[in-house]
Amino acid sequence: MKNLYLIAYLDLKESIRAKWFVVYSLVFGGLIALFFIAGVTESQVMGFSGLSRLLLMYIQITIVILPIFILITTVRSISGDRDNHILEYMLSFPISLKQYYWGKIIGRFITVYLPVLFAMVIAVIYGAFKGADIPWSIFFLYTGLLFALSSAFLGIAFFISSFVKSSEVALGIAFFIWIFLLAFIDIALISLMMQQRFNEELIIFISLANPMELFRVAAISLFDPELTVMGPVAFYILDSISQSMFVLLSIGYPLVLGLIFAFLGYKIFEKKDLV
Amino acid sequence: MIKVSQLTKKFGSHISLDNVSCEFNKNESIALMGANGAGKTTLIRSILGYYHPDQGEVLINGLNPIKERTKVLQEISFVPQLPPPIKLSLDELIQYVSISAKVDRELILHYANEMKLDIKANLNKSFFKLSGGMKQKMLIAISLAKKSDIIIYDEPTANLDPKARDDFYRLLKQNEEEKVLLFVTHRLEEVKDLVNRQIYMDLGKIVSDETV
């Protein structure tokens, strides 16, 4: 365990010093600051106002940029170290592959999750200071959703990192996965739905198997428990499971997905030549 | 100590090690030589447990370096040919080594000073920002402080000036007893006084193995 924490701690320290981390933190902190400056908390759209409105906007932007940030910054963690011979030296010390791999994941998870969480905490503190009502239920839901989404993409990134031979290929695959989950699935499913080739239930199931889509739906479910803005899709979702069950699923599923990918990545890392 | 039996390692269709067998025992200092692509680095990496062999096996004190990597690597010090661009500070690197391999921090500082590396002034500097020579001195200091039974150096003096080379060989002389010292080198004359065995490799095979 000592070595696991050591790897996590050193990876965390190394990441915090890296330029990408500064940019990453500034983007999320800057978003919140921008919303305050733009007066989002004072505006009212579709009945949502104050901090709720701010958090909703924050989460909508986060859904787009968080996955790509995590993928790009993490996908090179193992493959990059392999590329530039860092792995060759660091693994010449008596550290098990399990400790090295999972230590890196823990360190990287803290690095990617904390700035996103801190940005929301700052928003809540600032909002409280300005006398706004704190939407605690939304805050906790988003904390859980972001945790789950970070896990899913971190797991996918480590999975890619474990088998690609060069950092450039890793980046290419990461970008493809991001754009595929963000847009292509939706476009493909919408066209299939329009052509009525498959039944709607199957299409909605495929759609919700996408962690980004699930995150998107869960993010609005607290504002709109009936999911009316989603139209007929809500019928299928809420007909199958209750709203609270849906929230649990939207946190549990990406978390499990991330763990499965991370575990597969570990198995590949263990079975392949290390350098 | 190190037993390599009928080891074959292929990368695609290229055979990097072709049915290699050899043993390295205590009190042996070996110069491992050969042209580029002869299989020297592949052999070393197999000893370190980095490669899964296509055939044959490597045993270090009877242990498989892949299956028992932590036990095996406790007994091995390794310095690569080119210092990798590790982003950790020297202090963090020392922390990594001293916790993972149970190496005395003071001993690393001691050997760094012996190698004329002004370590105290550079403790918070990133390893990759040091000059090539300073990096190499640091890795050598770590390898000596680890007090391993097996020390593997892949062209360790490539970045060192003549004075630093003398320091390195002096320290090595003091630490060579009861160990296996394995040098990968292209310049035999530099390690001639240190080694008592010379191995030449070519096209993945050992073509000559002489005790001197």
Side-chain angles (χ1 to χ4, degrees), chain B residues 14-174:
Chain B
H14 174 72
I15 301 173
S16 194
L17 288 178
D18 189 1
N19 204 25
V20 170
S21 295
C22 56
E23 276 188 43
F24 304 119
N25 296 306
K26 239 182 222 179
N27 291 317
E28 279 190 329
S29 292
I30 307 112
L32 186 60
M33 293 169 287
N36 294 333
K40 308 180 295 288
T41 302
T42 310
L43 180 61
I44 281 175
R45 288 177 174 174
S46 301
I47 291 170
L48 288 164
Y50 293 163
Y51 289 146
H52 293 262
D54 292 286
Q55 189 192 306
E57 65 171 358
V58 176
L59 293 176
I60 316 287
N61 294 328
L63 300 173
N64 183 312
I66 297 173
K67 290 179 186 149
E68 307 273 354
R69 60 171 275 120
T70 51
K71 280 184 194 160
V72 166
L73 292 175
Q74 192 64 50
E75 302 305 328
I76 300 181
S77 287
F78 169 64
V79 176
Q81 185 177 10
L82 291 172
I86 298 166
K87 294 190 183 68
L88 300 177
S89 68
L90 291 195
D91 198 40
E92 289 160 354
L93 183 60
I94 292 172
Q95 191 184 5
Y96 175 80
V97 173
S98 56
I99 293 176
S100 67
K102 299 178 186 71
V103 177
D104 183 359
R105 181 187 163 87
E106 290 306 314
L107 211 51
I108 298 176
L109 300 181
H110 164 75
Y111 281 113
N113 285 328
E114 288 283 317
M115 285 297 297
K116 312 284 185 303
L117 172 66
D118 186 9
I119 195 162
K120 291 257 162 77
N122 291 295
L123 272 177
N124 293 319
K125 217 180 212 180
S126 272
F127 177 80
F128 83 100
K129 285 187 178 163
L130 300 179
S131 70
M134 287 168 92
K135 284 180 203 162
Q136 203 74 353
K137 286 177 182 176
M138 184 67 200
L139 299 190
I140 288 170
I142 290 171
S143 73
L144 294 170
K146 199 168 165 224
K147 299 285 175 201
S148 310
D149 291 339
I150 300 163
I151 304 182
I152 300 174
Y153 289 124
D154 193 350
E155 291 277 358
T157 56
N159 286 311
L160 299 182
D161 58 43
K163 177 76 186 73
R165 283 179 198 189
D166 290 344
D167 288 331
F168 170 57
Y169 294 131
R170 174 178 55 83
L171 290 170
L172 215 49
K173 273 272 181 204
Q174 294 166 5

Side-chain angles (χ1 to χ4, degrees), chain A residues 3 7 10 13-14 17 84-86 88-96 270-275, chain B residues 9 45 50-52 69-70 73-74 78 80 84-88 92 95-97 99-101 139 142:
Chain A
N3 285 342
I7 301 286
L10 292 178
K13 277 187 93 172
E14 195 184 306
R17 275 201 305 267
N84 52 31
H85 303 288
I86 289 176
E88 182 184 21
Y89 185 69
M90 298 308 264
L91 289 180
S92 72
F93 294 93
I95 285 209
S96 74
E270 194 186 37
K271 298 283 174 223
K272 262 185 62 157
D273 289 339
L274 289 174
V275 290
Chain B
K9 179 64 190 169
R45 288 177 174 174
Y50 293 163
Y51 289 146
H52 293 262
R69 60 171 275 120
T70 51
L73 292 175
Q74 192 64 50
F78 169 64
I86 298 166
K87 294 190 183 68
L88 300 177
E92 289 160 354
Q95 191 184 5
Y96 175 80
V97 173
I99 293 176
S100 67
L139 299 190
I142 290 171

